[in-house]
Amino acid sequence: MVLTLDVVTLGAPEVPAAGTFYATALSPAVTGDGDAVSLDLHGTARLDVAATGSLAADAGADPVTSGFRGYLLTYTVNQPTEVRTLMDAAVRGGAEVVKPARKALFGSFSGVFRAPDGALWKLAAATGKDTGPAAEAPLPAETTVILGVATPKASRAFYEALGMTADRDYGNKYIDFHPAKAAARLCLMERGVLARDAGTGKDGDGFPAMVLTHTAESRADVDALLAAAAAAGGRVTVAAAEISGGRYRGSFTDPDGFWWEVVH
């Protein structure tokens, strides 16, 4: 029993429009239309987009949200010009610049935009100077989901109880976990610190319009992960049950209120 972050699903008021935006900004492979869109972020993550109301209902949540949603999606490319290229594409697609692209701490280069669906994205390069010709269509080296939590060490203990393995641990500053193959990396930061990094205030509550999905190998694994989440301090919001298509699914929240779906 090991929890993996296999799919990140974002809620949007208009799914086709959100799919068009991400296709314009990040150039992923896109499948689906209408009620659900799936995007392959160049082998670094699978991103799904669904109607916010439906996503909340499936998770057992009230769809209302306000302020900072408590997470930041980070899309890491090779050099600064590629960050600028992606930021320009996002703005053309309707994004709002929250932090202009510029040199950041420790020689890195980054900027933050808010997508039309409300999700905050950070575009980043590890270096502040170009080291060669920039790609016209930049590809990511990694995609991460950073959760803003009360205490990263306590949150780490919760996720380790569900089988995750920490990779880099800087105490209550930053902790991340080994990602599954072709999946986003899960990271933890203190909520206020993350909000400052994203260029926004830390206040906000309600459904974050994001659900993280683990694909289980069996129904028994679904049951085991839900039980482990509850025992470690999470809350089961939807008991495991068979749904359409013969799938078996349940949902839980972690101690900081982030929503997970476990499905076989």
Side-chain angles (χ1 to χ4, degrees):
M1 178 196 73
V2 177
L3 182 70
T4 54
L5 174 51
D6 300 313
V7 184
V8 179
T9 304
L10 299 179
E14 297 182 12
V15 173
T20 298
F21 167 76
Y22 287 115
T24 299
L26 304 178
S27 304
V30 181
T31 56
D33 53 26
D35 293 336
V37 173
S38 183
L39 306 98
D40 178 355
L41 298 184
H42 309 284
T44 66
R46 177 180 154 192
L47 178 70
D48 287 358
V49 181
T52 303
S54 298
L55 185 65
D58 287 345
D62 184 324
V64 176
T65 187
S66 65
F68 180 43
R69 296 181 179 179
Y71 66 88
L72 179 65
L73 297 156
T74 300
Y75 197 78
T76 303
V77 291
N78 291 321
Q79 49 192 359
T81 295
E82 296 176 350
V83 171
R84 293 191 187 97
T85 296
L86 291 171
M87 184 70 81
D88 290 345
V91 170
R92 286 195 301 272
E96 169 197 356
V97 176
V98 179
K99 288 179 72 172
R102 60 192 175 200
K103 285 186 179 179
L105 293 175
F106 309 114
S108 61
F109 190 91
S110 64
V112 177
F113 69 81
R114 180 177 284 105
D117 58 45
L120 287 173
W121 287 79
K122 180 178 182 178
L123 304 171
T127 175
K129 290 176 126 185
D130 286 347
T131 55
E136 292 184 10
L139 299 180
E142 186 173 72
T143 300
T144 64
V145 180
I146 309 177
L147 304 182
V149 301
T151 308
K153 284 185 178 180
S155 188
R156 169 184 170 161
F158 171 81
Y159 283 106
E160 287 183 331
L162 274 63
M164 282 190 160
T165 302
D167 186 4
R168 293 165 291 193
D169 185 344
Y170 300 100
N172 277 324
K173 293 181 179 179
Y174 180 91
I175 298 171
D176 65 18
F177 299 92
H178 288 284
K181 184 178 179 180
R185 181 187 291 270
L186 183 68
C187 310
L188 309 169
M189 289 180 69
E190 192 275 327
R191 181 183 175 96
V193 174
L194 180 61
R196 286 195 296 274
D197 187 48
T200 187
K202 69 177 181 179
D203 293 336
D205 55 25
F207 182 59
M210 179 183 73
V211 172
L212 309 176
T213 297
H214 167 77
T215 303
E217 294 185 358
S218 68
R219 292 189 173 201
D221 280 350
V222 174
D223 294 337
L225 279 167
L226 292 178
R235 180 172 66 92
V236 175
T237 60
V238 177
E242 186 170 328
I243 58 173
S244 61
R247 294 180 298 159
Y248 188 71
R249 183 183 68 191
S251 297
F252 69 87
T253 57
D254 73 4
D256 291 278
F258 292 103
W259 301 80
W260 283 82
E261 173 189 69
V262 185
V263 62
H264 170 67

